């Protein structure tokens, strides 16, 4: 008869539940690893974190199993466990330990590490490419804006130069008309003054046309 203080069955039940959960979790993790971009998939990252934690916990639970077996094996008279029962417990612990090692090898093995590293490199490369593209767009926009401002300044300078030239020509024309008026009589001089005023009005309207057109 087994002693009521034998802790093996409590530890065995915990290990069996943990093993069942871990195997189901491993199937989901494996599918996600193969089908998804591990660097971008939040689902895979959650599964990977969870399965890593479960592997560590199962390792601790198996340590407890081995401890209970060693305890019983060292106190046969106290626990009154038969050789067959003790052998069965050892087989259970060894089978679980073998399964744990296979899962650990799959989760932490070189193929998995390569997939994780390749996905991470691809993500970093994509991020770098996006950053370069964004910088190029910003630089192009700045160049276009500078070119627009340069064109505006050039046009303004040309308009100012043209206005200065027109004013100079107007001044020369007024000077010549003034000289002519001095040689004419009073009646002709009045008509000449009227012509000068009309010329000034015409030139003023010509100068205002570009500004009104801009409005």
């Amino acid at each position: 008869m087994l002693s009521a203080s034998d802790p093996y069955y409590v530890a065995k039940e915990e290990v069996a539940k943990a093993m069942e959960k871990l195997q189901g979790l491993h199937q989901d993790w494996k599918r996600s690893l193969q089908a998804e971009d591990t660097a971008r998939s939040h689902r895979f990252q959650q599964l990977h974190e969870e399965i890593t934690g479960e592997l560590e916990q199962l390792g601790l639970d198996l340590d407890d199993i081995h401890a209970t077996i060693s305890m019983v094996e060292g106190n046969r008279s106290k626990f009154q466990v038969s050789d067959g029962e003790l052998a069965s417990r050892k087989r259970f612990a060894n089978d679980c330990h073998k399964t744990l090692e296979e899962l650990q090898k799959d989760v932490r093995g070189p193929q998995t590490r390569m997939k994780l590293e390749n996905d991470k490199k691809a993500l970093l490369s994509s991020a770098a490419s996006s950053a370069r593209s964004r910088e190029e767009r910003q630089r192009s926009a700045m160049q276009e804006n500078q070119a627009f401002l340069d064109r505006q300044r050039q046009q303004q300078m040309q308009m100012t130069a043209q206005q200065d030239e027109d004013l100079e020509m107007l001044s020369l024309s007024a000077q010549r008309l003034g000289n002519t008026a001095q040689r004419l009589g009073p009646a002709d001089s009045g008509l000449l003054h009227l012509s000068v005023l009309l010329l000034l009005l015409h030139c003023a309207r010509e100068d205002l046309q570009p500004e009104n057109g801009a409005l």
Side-chain angles (χ1 to χ4, degrees):
M1 180 179 297
L2 298 177
S3 170
S5 61
D6 186 349
Y8 169 77
Y9 289 103
V10 175
K12 179 183 178 181
E13 182 178 359
E14 292 178 355
V15 167
K17 290 180 180 179
M19 184 65 71
E20 182 179 1
K21 177 181 178 181
L22 184 57
Q23 288 175 331
L25 184 62
H26 177 257
Q27 292 179 358
D28 293 339
W29 173 88
K30 190 73 172 180
R31 284 193 295 268
S32 182
L33 174 69
Q34 295 173 346
E36 300 180 18
D37 184 339
T38 61
R40 299 176 184 272
S41 173
H42 294 295
R43 170 176 167 75
F44 173 81
Q45 292 167 10
Q46 292 173 352
L47 287 170
H48 190 70
E49 182 178 357
E50 185 177 0
I51 198 171
T52 300
E54 290 293 334
L55 286 170
E56 293 178 358
Q57 184 59 50
L58 181 57
L60 295 175
D61 292 341
L62 283 176
D63 289 342
D64 291 341
I65 286 284
H66 286 294
T68 61
I69 292 174
S70 297
M71 183 187 301
V72 171
E73 195 171 22
N75 296 274
R76 300 293 296 276
S77 60
K78 177 181 179 181
F79 293 101
Q80 299 179 0
V81 175
S82 66
D83 292 341
E85 173 66 20
L86 187 59
S88 175
R89 297 183 183 190
K90 288 182 178 181
R91 282 195 302 272
F92 174 79
N94 290 335
D95 289 344
C96 289
H97 190 74
K98 181 179 179 181
T99 300
L100 176 63
E101 287 182 340
E102 292 174 353
L103 295 175
Q104 288 174 333
K105 182 178 179 181
D106 195 20
V107 173
R108 301 170 182 171
Q111 291 184 347
T112 298
R113 289 199 304 270
M114 182 178 296
K115 177 67 161 59
L116 298 180
E117 291 173 1
N118 289 340
D119 288 350
K120 184 177 181 180
K121 288 179 181 178
L123 177 61
L124 293 176
S125 177
S126 176
S129 177
S130 297
R132 287 193 298 270
S133 178
R134 182 168 58 252
E135 290 175 358
E136 290 175 358
R137 289 195 300 270
Q138 292 175 347
R139 183 164 54 251
S140 177
M142 291 177 63
Q143 291 174 348
E144 290 177 1
N145 184 57
Q146 186 61 45
F148 172 77
L149 294 176
D150 291 342
R151 288 195 300 270
Q152 291 293 102
R153 281 195 295 268
Q154 184 67 24
Q155 291 175 0
Q156 185 63 38
M157 291 173 61
Q158 291 175 352
M159 290 174 59
T160 301
Q162 184 64 45
Q163 290 174 356
D164 291 342
E165 184 178 350
D166 291 344
L167 288 174
E168 184 178 358
M169 292 179 62
L170 177 62
S171 177
L172 292 175
S173 297
Q175 185 177 359
R176 287 194 297 270
L177 290 173
N179 293 335
T180 302
Q182 291 178 357
R183 296 193 298 270
L184 298 176
D188 293 333
S189 178
L191 291 174
L192 184 60
H193 287 155
L194 179 60
S195 298
V196 170
L197 291 175
L198 291 174
L199 177 60
L200 291 174
L201 178 61
H202 174 73
C203 291
R205 292 182 62 185
E206 289 292 327
D207 290 339
L208 289 176
Q209 280 182 357
E211 296 182 2
N212 291 337
L215 294 176

